[in-house]
Amino acid sequence: MTEQVIEVKNLVKKYGSLTAVDSISFSVSKGEIFGLLGPNGAGKSTTLEIVETLREKTSGEVTVCGYSLDKEAALIKKVIGVQLQSSGYYPGLNLVQLIELFAGLYNCSVDPIQILSMVNLQEKSKAKVKELSGGQRQRFSIATTLVNQPKVIFLDEPTTGLDPQARRSLWELIRTIQAQGTTIVLTTHYMDEAEYLCDRIAIMEKGKIIALDTPDSLIDQLLESGFERKKEMKAANLEDVFIHLTGHALTGDY
Ligand code: ADP
């Protein structure tokens, strides 16, 4: 049987009279990349933050790696990796010092250069976060989620604001982390990203999950309902043109 890393049952979150998360249920299997999609305000961040133990739920059941959110939140914290916004980093510290700080918080010892190499930032070890490009900052923020060798990491819009090459470099990094056996839950507004990366996606709207399946099955279901694209797609798009003209191999130097 597939091992479930995350199980969410009838999760509800109310902010006063607003029901931001309206009795949703889903599970995430070991090794999956699971995407939460939906328009702004759909309840994605609230759901993620509850599973990450950062926000109180109103009702429902959440289990992460077999630990109950109600009874074993401290154990959940130890097995997950959570991405911080880059504004959350101490500005005076360089990348190695920041990784050491995170390791200290998790009470584990790490080789900062090895962690930075995983995200191709070993040459920036003495740099401060403000000296990094947008793509490098995102890669660093992913590196910080890996410090405690988590079983599952949460990425909230990991490629928002990045140029196409930096996005693709991040996609490869996320795939590499998955290949090492880590389960990944991410939110995104980019449908191409969800289609490329996610094994399954849940689409949320107004606090409810309105679809949950593999990207392929969701597309097939739409086609079976008689949907047809108005215009034939070309075999390449403008993003391919951009990458072809400005980028070469995806070395990760963005
Ligand atoms: P998403 O991540 O999909 O954009 P959110 O989970 O951030 O959605 O928000 C869902 C709904 O809950 C929105 O209507 C938002 O305004 C509301 N909301 C989020 N956080 C709070 C809060 N701390 N207090 C009150 N309302 C909130």
Side-chain angles (χ1 to χ4, degrees), residues 23 65 144 193 195 198 219:
S23 194
C65 297
T144 64
E193 179 162 299
E195 199 174 336
C198 296
I219 293 167

Side-chain angles (χ1 to χ4, degrees), residues 9 46 71 140 152 159 163 217 234 242:
K9 281 189 203 143
T46 301
K71 299 188 199 119
F140 178 67
V152 47
T159 67
D163 68 53
S217 302
K234 293 184 185 170
F242 179 87

Side-chain angles (χ1 to χ4, degrees), residues 92-176:
L93 301 184
N94 67 35
L95 302 194
V96 164
Q97 292 165 328
L98 283 169
I99 296 280
E100 282 167 348
L101 179 71
F102 273 90
L105 295 175
Y106 281 113
N107 204 11
C108 57
S109 69
V110 296
D111 173 358
I113 299 294
Q114 191 239 330
I115 300 243
L116 291 172
S117 315
M118 285 168 75
V119 298
N120 207 4
L121 281 178
Q122 61 280 17
E123 271 140 41
K124 294 281 175 187
S125 61
K126 294 279 155 50
K128 309 221 164 85
V129 171
K130 64 171 188 288
E131 295 157 3
L132 302 179
S133 72
Q136 289 168 340
R137 266 182 218 200
Q138 278 295 350
R139 290 212 307 279
F140 178 67
S141 129
I142 291 179
T144 64
T145 72
L146 302 173
V147 164
N148 58 328
Q149 296 187 307
K151 296 201 186 317
V152 47
I153 62 172
F154 296 89
L155 306 176
D156 201 356
E157 296 186 24
T159 67
T160 295
L162 299 184
D163 68 53
Q165 283 142 16
R167 285 181 72 215
R168 290 190 187 199
S169 148
L170 250 280
W171 290 357
E172 294 320 316
L173 173 61
I174 292 170
R175 278 267 174 95
T176 306

